[in-house]
Amino acid sequence: MSVSRHLESRVRDYLRIFPAVALIGPRQVGKTTLARSVAQVGESEDAGGIYLDLENPADLEKLDDPGGYLSRHRGRLVVLDEIHRKPALFEILRGVIDERVRRGEQSGQFLLLGSASIDLLRQAGESLAGRLGTVELGPFDLTEFPNPPSRVWVRGGFPRSLLAASDRDSAIWRANFIDTYLQREIPQFGPRIPRETLRRFWTMLAHDQGTPCNTARLGRSLAVDAKTVARYLDLLVDLLLVRRLPPFHANVAKRLVKSPKIYVRDSGLVHTLLRLDDEEAVLGHPVAGFSWEGFVIENVLHCVPERTEASFYGTATKVEVDLVLEMPNGQRWAIEIKRGLATMDRALRIAFDDIQPDRAIVVHGREGRFPKGGGVEAMDVNALLADLRALA
């Protein structure tokens, strides 16, 4: 089954602007499929792009003389997958790009794929500053896979999980995905961490989905100090598996929450870490509301205009709004997320008054949109995503 990715147009746009583009995202999220489509790999032996997987020894051998190889394919888009495996390439790419720019070839030369944001961007930033644009590809969102939201929520957005023949097959795929990251992927990018310790930590984050980060409490549970917990968390954030949502800083005379909220980014991984294999199991677990909240937030952040800043609003007295969006056009949207009915209480009204948004929205778990009074709108998640896509 082929599913169109709406970020394909952004990748093409960035290739028009930059000599090189980094496409980052977790493994198995569809980076290679998207890159091959953009580069038109395989359409003709003498036309289209070149795809090299640097985990493939045969492709890696082609780059024994990278300067000579890239010169032979001048004028064609070269896709370099898992480029962090050959970090010396970054310096060579800088020279090749600069030489081509001097000849008037300004854009669309290289598409670099990587699974870890900090590792790829650090290496690329040191060598390709000013020459590189970055696009982050996440799992499928509801605009790309417009099935009932409950299916995408329960299974998550990784293509093989979402498109599996059954919930059982989907759960087995996700369990193996987690094991692969613990055994193979994470040790590549960070200091040696015992696999079971990291599994426990990742599972604890799933239990704490959507709550402010408390490194001291997590450290006590793992018998490590808060700095070690912060290091574990940094690693999962850099691997694009966990999101840190910062607090909103408003000019109000109230004591605001200062710790970021933590979300395991894919809802399907949340459910698998907690051994919840189908919708009935998810709905019967206390994490259901927080899992839905994280799912909606990830979908929203896939669809917002570029350069949008996201945060949450919270005070010491539990006056909260789940998501605040500062748009590049200057608009501010405040979004509260409910899994059931679009209820409004006094604390939420106070939060909206504190934030003074251009749009105050309550996302509910039913279908349709309607006013809630006082300038507050209620709508389902698909309606919200449609409004956001209209801005992009």
Side-chain angles (χ1 to χ4, degrees):
M1 179 178 178
S2 177
V3 179
S4 176
R5 305 305 301 266
H6 61 66
L7 275 178
E8 183 168 337
S9 61
R10 184 178 298 179
V11 174
R12 294 183 185 278
D13 194 38
Y14 272 42
L15 284 167
R16 180 181 57 80
I17 298 169
F18 296 98
V21 172
L23 180 61
I24 62 174
R27 277 190 175 273
Q28 300 294 320
V29 82
K31 299 187 299 297
T32 299
T33 302
L34 176 57
R36 292 177 72 94
S37 173
V38 169
Q40 298 179 319
V41 171
E43 292 198 0
S44 167
E45 189 172 323
D46 300 318
I50 305 293
Y51 173 80
L52 297 177
D53 179 359
L54 301 192
E55 290 191 326
N56 183 335
D59 283 353
L60 196 56
E61 190 175 352
K62 295 176 183 178
L63 294 175
D64 283 347
D65 175 18
Y69 180 86
L70 296 174
S71 294
R72 288 197 300 276
H73 295 292
R74 181 181 168 197
R76 301 173 73 177
L77 176 61
V78 177
V79 179
L80 297 170
D81 203 346
E82 300 299 326
I83 189 173
H84 61 273
R85 293 190 172 276
K86 198 171 176 66
L89 267 179
F90 288 105
E91 284 293 337
I92 294 165
L93 289 177
R94 181 177 66 178
V96 171
I97 288 170
D98 289 351
E99 175 62 27
R100 292 180 181 180
V101 167
R102 282 192 289 270
R103 295 177 181 177
E105 302 171 30
Q106 297 290 335
S107 60
Q109 302 171 31
F110 300 101
L111 183 54
L112 316 178
L113 312 187
S115 305
S117 62
I118 191 168
D119 197 63
L120 176 61
L121 296 181
R122 176 182 57 78
Q123 295 178 60
E126 292 170 354
S127 302
L128 300 179
R131 306 166 181 86
L132 181 75
T134 303
V135 178
E136 181 185 319
L137 181 68
F140 286 144
D141 62 48
L142 289 171
T143 67
E144 297 167 322
F145 196 85
N147 275 35
S150 59
R151 177 180 176 182
V152 189
W153 170 44
V154 170
R155 294 188 176 190
F158 283 94
R160 292 187 179 180
S161 173
L162 185 54
L163 301 175
S166 66
D167 284 345
R168 178 179 178 274
D169 291 355
S170 175
I172 290 172
W173 185 90
R174 281 178 273 135
N176 280 270
F177 175 88
I178 291 168
D179 285 341
T180 299
Y181 255 90
L182 291 169
Q183 295 173 13
R184 179 176 178 271
E185 301 303 326
I186 292 176
Q188 291 183 43
F189 296 105
R192 177 64 182 162
I193 302 170
R195 185 177 67 186
E196 286 309 310
T197 299
L198 197 54
R199 179 187 288 277
R200 284 182 59 207
F201 178 64
W202 203 352
T203 303
M204 290 164 65
L205 295 183
H207 276 289
D208 288 352
Q209 182 82 338
T211 61
C213 182
N214 187 330
T215 55
R217 180 180 58 79
L218 292 169
R220 286 193 298 271
S221 298
L222 293 171
V224 298
D225 60 28
K227 289 184 179 179
T228 301
V229 169
R231 180 163 54 87
Y232 294 172
L233 183 59
D234 285 344
L235 179 58
L236 292 177
V237 169
D238 292 335
L239 288 168
L240 306 172
L241 298 170
V242 169
R243 180 179 298 280
R244 260 189 302 238
L245 187 66
F248 176 73
H249 297 291
N251 186 22
V252 296
K254 295 183 178 180
R255 188 156 60 91
L256 301 181
V257 173
K258 296 181 180 180
S259 296
K261 283 187 176 182
I262 304 300
Y263 294 91
V264 176
R265 293 178 64 161
D266 182 73
S267 58
L269 295 185
V270 173
H271 303 151
T272 298
L273 286 163
L274 300 179
R275 300 179 180 273
L276 309 173
D277 291 349
D278 55 36
E279 187 172 2
E280 286 300 314
V282 172
L283 292 174
H285 195 279
V287 82
F290 293 106
S291 170
W292 174 256
E293 178 184 311
F295 170 73
V296 173
I297 288 172
E298 287 301 313
N299 272 266
V300 165
L301 296 185
H302 286 180
C303 295
V304 295
E306 291 186 80
R307 297 179 290 115
T308 296
E309 295 183 4
S311 60
F312 75 94
Y313 179 76
T315 73
T317 56
K318 305 298 183 183
V319 173
E320 299 177 348
V321 170
D322 294 322
L323 187 62
V324 181
L325 301 176
E326 301 277 0
M327 307 288 193
N329 64 4
Q331 286 191 13
R332 176 184 296 165
W333 292 19
I335 302 168
E336 177 68 8
I337 300 163
K338 307 286 189 183
R339 189 170 59 85
L341 297 173
T343 55
M344 290 282 295
D345 56 25
R346 182 173 178 272
L348 182 56
R349 296 250 181 220
I350 292 171
F352 284 149
D353 288 343
D354 290 345
I355 297 169
Q356 291 293 301
D358 296 281
R359 290 186 69 178
I361 298 168
V362 178
V363 178
H364 57 83
R366 307 296 175 87
E367 292 186 5
R369 64 167 80 207
F370 48 88
K372 291 293 290 182
V376 178
E377 309 166 69
M379 62 184 70
D380 60 67
V381 61
N382 285 320
L384 173 59
L385 299 184
D387 286 0
L388 289 167
R389 293 291 293 155
L391 298 175

